[in-house]
């Protein structure tokens, strides 16, 4: 589904991602981990069109992503969440999600966008009440809203950026199960960036580890957890 080869990103004289290559198979959950500053968010920003790569290739379903605007990448079937939710507070929960659907799955059709919003809200367990505001949502609710917005775009590939941040232990387990449910019931492939390794390792099929912009390990969770290079980093 996704083939990344020799991905490089420089900001002036600083190399944030250095010749990283990996693949993601349809239907799997790939965990992407590493210390702060290791390049995880930069890879997400390149895959979603926020940053252009300095060099390298990112092919999704056989078509190159580099050079496409973010809305074009959403239309291709890649949705993402953000580490820090920033909903539109003047819009209701439903309107926030429908707006995402309008630019994704809805493709500028209000009816289709609202239908996509209803499905997404049901999947994550948020109310479809069209009058409910976002200001009453706690950390867990805001994370669900991020997921709903991404799902409303109709993704084939979901980039989940730190879906456990700010949650308590019970909420973390629920959020992790939600990602598994999205994969199992909707057939959506997932790349999951996370710092809470204990929870992530129970859910993902494979793990890739970055450090200082370079890939230092990749494989099954059990193998990666025992890799001396990973142990040294963590």
């Amino acid at each position: 589904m996704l083939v990344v080869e020799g991905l490089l990103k420089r900001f002036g004289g600083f190399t944030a991602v250095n010749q990283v290559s990996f693949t993601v198979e349809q239907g799997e959950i790939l965990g992407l981990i590493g210390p702060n500053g290791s390049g995880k968010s930069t890879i997400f920003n390149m895959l979603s069109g926020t940053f252009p790569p300095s060099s390298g290739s990112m092919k999704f379903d056989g078509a190159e992503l580099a050079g496409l605007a973010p809305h074009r990448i959403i239309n291709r079937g890649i949705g993402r969440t953000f580490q820090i939710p920033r909903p539109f507070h003047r819009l209701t929960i439903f309107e926030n999600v429908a707006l995402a659907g309008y630019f994704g799955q809805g493709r500028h059709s209000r009816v289709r966008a609202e239908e996509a919003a209803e499905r997404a809200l049901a999947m994550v367990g948020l109310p479809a009440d069209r009058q409910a505001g976002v200001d009453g949502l706690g950390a867990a609710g805001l994370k669900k809203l991020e997921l709903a917005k991404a799902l409303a775009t109709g993704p084939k590939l979901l980039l989940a950026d730190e879906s456990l941040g700010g949650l308590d232990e019970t909420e973390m387990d629920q959020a992790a199960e939600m990602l598994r449910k999205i994969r199992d019931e909707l057939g959506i492939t997932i790349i999951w960036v996370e710092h809470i390794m204990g929870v992530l390792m129970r859910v993902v099929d494979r793990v890739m580890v970055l450090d200082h912009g370079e890939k230092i390990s990749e494989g099954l969770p059990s193998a990666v957890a025992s890799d001396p290079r990973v142990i040294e980093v963590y």
Side-chain angles (χ1 to χ4, degrees), residues 112-209:
R112 290 183 62 193
E114 290 183 347
E115 290 172 349
E118 290 174 350
R119 291 192 298 269
L121 288 166
M123 171 58 67
V124 304
L126 284 177
D129 175 7
R130 300 196 178 196
Q131 303 305 314
V134 302
D135 290 337
L137 294 175
L142 288 171
K143 293 292 186 180
K144 288 180 179 180
L145 180 59
E146 275 293 292
L147 275 176
K149 288 161 58 182
L151 292 177
T153 68
K156 293 184 283 186
L157 173 64
L158 172 65
L159 309 178
D161 193 352
E162 295 197 31
S163 295
L164 306 185
L167 306 184
D168 63 29
E169 187 173 347
T170 299
E171 291 168 338
M172 283 192 284
D173 288 338
Q174 292 172 344
E177 283 304 312
M178 180 64 63
L179 290 176
R180 197 201 311 263
K181 181 181 178 182
I182 288 168
R183 188 273 303 274
D184 293 346
E185 296 188 9
L186 301 181
I188 295 174
T189 304
I190 299 172
I191 307 177
W192 181 14
V193 163
E194 193 53 71
H195 282 289
I196 315 298
M197 285 182 56
V199 180
L200 175 140
M201 291 291 198
R202 299 199 302 265
V203 175
V204 300
D205 300 302
R206 289 189 300 120
V207 184
M208 183 171 76
V209 187

